[in-house]
Amino acid sequence: MFREHIIRRGQWYIRRLWSWFLNATMQSYWEEIDNCKIKVFDKLTAKAEMVLEIGIGTGSNMSYYADCNLNVTLYGLDPNPKMKKYLRKSAAKAGLKPKNFKFKQGVGEAIPFKDASVDAVVATLVLCSVSDVTQTLAEIKRVLRPGGTFIFLEHVAAEDGSFFRRLQKLLDPLQQRLADGCHLTRNTRECIMEAGFNGGVEIETMSMCSFPWITRPHIYGVAYK
Ligand SMILES: C[S@@+](CC[C@H](N)C(=O)[O-])C[C@H]1O[C@@H](n2cnc3c(N)ncnc32)[C@H](O)[C@@H]1O
């Protein structure tokens, strides 16, 4: 009886400690991500009227669109149809009019849009999860109009031979299972550089200080078709 009581108390403390740890540490992760997002969304000029976000999730970027240009028409693409109800709420909270936001179910590898039909494509924390990064980048290029903008923020593989790279390789299969197909060891920077964005590519690297350290570093930037 006493032993069970001690185990239950122990579990209670561990759960509280873990939730406190996640809250405290993930908070600073999101703050660091937020700083990068502010910089990349700054590249989304008011001229971009038709924007497509791939892997839009629950709409964590909505407020950045609202800050840029309230007249933007935003198409959100995600394979998960359950995101729709959260997206509607996020759009309303960010002040986007319902007519200015449309959800489409689909994947980055086969974007259901015509060639050269959008001014800008946005992808944040998505290229780690698609099944084919090269194909997704080719699709992004296809749907962008000439001179169109691709803005991105992604976590990528750590430097070859580093301790973190070895750890990422070890944990990659587990990460894919736990985090909906997310890969830790993608060379996304190289893929973007080789995707043929002839208008130029600007990429910054950020080694996040916050937990979860396993997803460091991150890259963010802009590529022009
Ligand atoms: C980590 S979440 C990122 C969500 C959001 N972009 C953000 O920054 O908060 C990854 C998203 O990518 C979506 N996803 C997974 N595979 C995809 C694919 N092949 N094409 C497009 N989106 C995909 C998932 O459904 C999920 O919403």
Side-chain angles (χ1 to χ4, degrees):
M1 196 66 181
F2 179 66
R3 195 170 156 266
E4 272 172 23
H5 173 75
I6 293 289
I7 290 171
R8 265 206 311 276
R9 281 305 282 175
Q11 285 170 343
W12 185 82
Y13 276 115
I14 287 168
R15 273 204 295 269
R16 287 210 36 147
L17 195 65
W18 182 237
S19 55
W20 169 83
F21 178 75
L22 277 185
N23 184 39
T25 52
M26 289 305 283
Q27 177 71 21
S28 65
Y29 174 78
W30 291 119
E31 277 165 20
E32 285 192 272
I33 288 283
D34 185 50
N35 287 336
C36 295
K37 283 187 176 177
I38 289 169
K39 287 184 195 154
V40 287
F41 274 87
D42 213 33
K43 308 278 182 187
L44 199 65
T45 64
K47 274 189 248 155
E49 287 173 3
M50 170 112 169
V51 178
L52 165 68
E53 179 170 342
I54 63 164
I56 190 166
T58 56
S60 67
N61 292 331
M62 293 285 186
S63 59
Y64 303 96
Y65 297 108
D67 288 348
C68 295
N69 176 7
L70 275 173
N71 290 320
V72 76
T73 298
L74 173 66
Y75 285 85
L77 183 77
D78 204 284
N80 185 347
K82 300 275 181 233
M83 298 297 185
K84 205 170 166 180
K85 72 170 180 202
Y86 301 105
L87 283 164
R88 252 192 247 116
K89 278 190 199 152
S90 308
K93 198 169 159 209
L96 281 177
K97 295 184 192 120
K99 72 174 172 61
N100 288 3
F101 173 69
K102 295 172 178 64
F103 175 77
K104 275 203 178 253
Q105 189 181 357
V107 292
E109 293 89 338
I111 300 176
F113 279 75
K114 290 190 182 137
D115 296 0
S117 57
V118 302
D119 299 311
V121 176
V122 174
T124 66
L125 307 175
V126 176
L127 295 177
C128 53
S129 296
V130 300
S131 54
D132 188 333
V133 180
T134 305
Q135 170 67 17
T136 302
L137 289 168
E139 278 291 274
I140 290 171
K141 238 181 78 192
R142 180 184 67 75
V143 299
L144 273 177
R145 64 161 172 76
T149 313
F150 168 43
I151 68 172
F152 52 87
L153 161 66
E154 297 290 337
H155 65 82
V156 298
E159 203 180 316
D160 253 345
S162 65
F163 166 74
F164 269 109
R165 180 60 179 257
R166 284 197 287 274
L167 200 58
Q168 287 173 339
K169 200 171 165 205
L170 190 73
L171 295 178
D172 200 34
L174 183 67
Q175 172 81 358
Q176 285 175 46
R177 283 193 151 250
L178 295 181
D180 196 18
C182 167
H183 293 69
L184 292 170
T185 54
R186 290 222 156 137
N187 293 315
T188 309
R189 166 194 282 273
E190 289 70 16
C191 295
I192 294 172
M193 295 302 289
E194 287 160 14
F197 285 97
N198 296 330
V201 181
E202 296 162 22
I203 304 188
E204 301 282 338
T205 303
M206 184 162 96
S207 199
M208 313 284 275
C209 305
S210 327
F211 181 83
W213 306 284
I214 198 64
T215 59
R216 62 203 277 191
H218 285 58
I219 57 161
Y220 61 93
V222 57
Y224 301 96
K225 178 168 165 183

